[in-house]
Amino acid sequence: PMRRTPDDLGPWLMATTTDSSIPLCVDLDGTLIATDLLWESIFGLIRTRPLDAALMPLWLLKGRSILKSRIAERAVVDARLLPYRIEVLEHLRNEKDQGRRLVLATAADRRLAEAVAEHLDLFDEVLASDDQRNLKGENKRAALEERFGPAGFDYLGDSTADLPIWKAANQALIVRSNPGIERRAAAVCSPSHVFDGAGGGARSLVK
């Protein structure tokens, strides 16, 4: 049959088949939520603990993972109030109902990621950054391949940092966070789903 494109099928392209035995790994910032948890926690820290917020440049000098960890230790983000992407949530709930294993795989700090996972009650596992490792890009790809094996996972993401992960995944799912992301992704994979990313939030400078 003739191959269809995301534009042919509207907001998102459904794959003809999905292997429910393969875990679906889901990015958080910009993908599951239309904002960035680091920015949310930075704003919260400035608002509630401005003296601690003044230390952020020093933490950043020690690396992104340290910055995220120090902020997460001090800031409070209410997972109930985050702007979740409804289309993505509906898809994940459908996959969960069919017995799919869902993994939250994010560059956000583990404490913040686990708060989101606990609130949604969808994810079987959380892989996230800590003070030793920033789980972004190649680091995330390596962690997922170590955990699930080469091409042993599907991956849903939204940004250029996800390109090496889409390339390594069994199937790539994309949130259209900017006009060029589909084109960039098409160079490394053939997306099985493309979700409309309208209404996305701020992008982190230190994701």
Side-chain angles (χ1 to χ4, degrees):
M2 181 178 66
R3 183 178 180 84
R4 296 181 183 271
T5 68
D7 289 336
D8 295 327
L9 297 184
W12 47 287
L13 173 66
M14 287 295 300
T16 55
T17 60
T18 298
D19 186 347
S20 61
S21 67
I22 294 178
L24 174 56
C25 301
V26 183
D27 179 47
L28 178 54
D29 296 326
T31 301
L32 181 61
I33 59 175
T35 187
D36 189 305
L37 270 185
L38 181 59
W39 280 116
E40 296 287 340
S41 54
I42 285 174
F43 294 147
L45 189 64
I46 292 172
R47 188 168 56 249
T48 60
R49 301 177 66 169
L51 294 180
D52 284 345
L55 298 173
M56 288 191 293
L58 297 178
W59 297 337
L60 182 56
L61 288 175
K62 298 179 180 180
R64 290 181 176 88
S65 59
I66 294 294
L67 172 69
K68 293 178 181 181
S69 179
R70 297 296 179 266
I71 292 173
E73 288 171 356
R74 295 162 172 83
V76 176
V77 174
D78 191 339
R80 299 171 301 172
L81 303 179
L82 294 172
Y84 295 96
R85 295 195 187 276
I86 301 304
E87 290 173 305
V88 172
L89 276 181
E90 289 177 348
H91 179 75
L92 295 181
R93 286 172 180 144
N94 182 62
E95 292 292 291
K96 187 72 171 178
D97 288 344
Q98 296 181 50
R100 192 81 180 274
R101 181 174 180 80
L102 301 180
V103 178
L104 186 59
T106 173
D109 184 82
R110 171 168 292 279
R111 281 157 288 204
L112 301 179
E114 288 180 343
V116 169
E118 181 178 358
H119 167 62
L120 293 177
D121 194 26
L122 281 173
F123 295 99
D124 301 285
E125 186 174 350
V126 175
L127 300 176
S129 295
D130 54 31
D131 59 4
Q132 300 297 316
R133 178 176 63 174
N134 186 33
L135 202 73
K136 175 187 174 183
E138 287 290 352
N139 285 343
K140 187 186 290 188
R141 177 201 59 77
L144 292 175
E145 288 193 326
E146 180 181 359
R147 177 70 180 87
F148 302 112
F153 59 93
D154 294 346
Y155 182 74
L156 170 57
D158 75 294
S159 73
T160 54
D162 297 315
L163 290 172
I165 312 164
W166 284 325
K167 184 176 181 180
N170 172 66
Q171 288 190 356
L173 300 86
I174 296 174
V175 169
R176 189 187 289 122
S177 59
N178 66 73
I181 193 61
E182 286 181 78
R183 175 179 52 80
R184 297 288 299 274
V188 299
C189 65
S190 298
S192 62
H193 294 62
V194 179
F195 295 87
D196 188 358
R203 310 303 302 163
S204 172
L205 299 178
V206 289
K207 181 178 177 183

